[in-house]
Amino acid sequence: MSPHLNLAHLSFRRTPARALLLSGAMSLGLLTLGGASAQTAAPKPGASSTATTQAASAIAIEVSAAVKGQIIGCPATLKLSLRAVCLYAPSGVASLRPLIAGKLSGRAGSWKTSGKASTLLVSQKAGGPLGAFVLLSALNDKESLVVVDAAQAKAGTAAAKPATPAGVTRGQPYVLGRDLAGVVNVTSQGGGNYRLTTEDGSVLAVTVGRKAAQTSNGTVELPLAPATDGTNLIFPLDGLRSLGCTVTPAGTNLTVACGAESIGLRPIVF
């Protein structure tokens, strides 16, 4: 599955009226979020959260494509995990509910509504374990806040930071190769070698532990050497510019655009 996330370039000014609407939506969201957590078991001590994070990330891409929203910083009052994705959508909840349910057909339950907020529990695949919840909260009749977060994480519990792999530079931002799905295809070629390809045909061949990388136009030097945790490519965020991608801050998240495609993600800082 390689769904694309298209972000609408919308103005999201915090006028006093909108701030009040957002504050009210957050309060309602907390009530609904508590209900979602009550239906979902917390992970067992010591259990890996990798599958949960991957599922929530993939579902967030699908939901974002369906609502055509703009990534914003998640409100602190919701106490979400570090990997949560929050979107501002220029549509009312009545029109968004069927859009989201249709996009996630066969993997989602039914909407649970309380006041102006609704919650949907979602599996990454049909018949699979819960992967994420979608929180939909009305700002007004024509604007909504959409939140996607891991279902197994308790509200207010931060996602566990991965162990620091060998070769990474502490304090610098990296991204996992799998989190680039939708804008960059990452292929392992064995021996610590990876091939990164964008939808418009840009290619970057990299090797774990080496700053030197190959493009179709010759050799370039990455700002930091790529690393791996044994499974995933851990790529320096600034290195995406060597593929012609742009990185734009969006609150506590980032928007990564490569050609006509873009996704929202949160980098990892070890």
Side-chain angles (χ1 to χ4, degrees), residues 117-208:
S118 302
T119 304
L120 186 68
L121 299 178
V122 188
S123 301
Q124 186 176 18
K125 60 182 180 180
L130 290 177
F133 67 83
V134 180
L135 172 65
L136 184 58
S137 188
L139 301 178
N140 55 44
D141 291 342
K142 297 182 179 180
E143 298 175 297
S144 303
L145 173 73
V146 185
V147 177
V148 181
D149 199 2
Q152 283 83 353
K154 286 184 177 180
T157 302
K161 183 183 291 186
T164 304
V168 302
T169 301
R170 290 184 178 274
Q172 296 299 314
Y174 291 83
V175 293
L176 296 182
R178 68 171 184 236
D179 288 344
L180 295 172
V183 292
V184 178
N185 182 43
V186 179
T187 305
S188 173
Q189 299 185 313
N193 298 303
Y194 290 85
R195 182 182 177 89
L196 286 70
T197 310
T198 65
E199 292 288 332
D200 62 5
S202 297
V203 177
L204 186 68
V206 304
T207 300
V208 170

Side-chain angles (χ1 to χ4, degrees), residues 34-86:
S37 299
Q39 301 174 53
T40 310
K44 295 179 180 179
S48 172
S49 63
T50 301
T52 297
T53 300
Q54 185 176 16
S57 177
I59 292 167
I61 291 173
E62 293 184 86
V63 170
S64 298
V67 305
K68 294 179 172 60
Q70 178 187 15
I71 290 181
I72 60 173
C74 290
T77 51
L78 283 182
K79 301 185 184 299
L80 299 163
S81 78
L82 293 177
R83 299 306 296 257
V85 176
C86 294

